[in-house]
Amino acid sequence: MRKIAFALLAGAVIGTPAPAAADISSFAFVQDDGSLVVDGRLIRLYGIYIPPTERTCYTFIRPTPCGTRAALALDFKISGDFVHCMERAVNADGSITASCKTGDEDLSEWMLQRGWALALPDAPFHYTAMERIARAKGIGVWGIPLDVPARPH
């Protein structure tokens, strides 16, 4: 009897397909730490860490947006567009790690290219390359703010 119950339980577990990764699409609200709230879910961008940067307010826009420079850059990038995220993992705190795009552009790659994020150790190789290029250029968190135009020599 015990063997039959075990066989049925094993068959049920083995025969159960893995849950499909969620496709989350909606408007995104950027949080101060660079995470997103999409369709009521807290999303962390896949493969990157957004370090804390100084808090800035843009007074020429109404209502005045305030936040960390990296979060503001991400917010301006999204600019009210729909964001499409493909779930990669569910974290212990209930947040979701996901690859997110606006239009055809990957948001993690965009943040890395502009120097507002660091590639995590398990990120794809090209993420690390993008981080190194931004560091060499001295942009974003690596030095020169992106919103200041270069001065002619």
Side-chain angles (χ1 to χ4, degrees), residues 10-19:
V13 170
I14 294 170
T16 304

Side-chain angles (χ1 to χ4, degrees), residues 90-109:
V90 177
N91 303 313
D93 64 358
S95 66
I96 298 168
T97 297
S99 295
C100 297
K101 291 184 174 191
T102 182
D104 288 336
E105 196 156 25
D106 181 288
L107 293 175
S108 294
E109 290 179 5

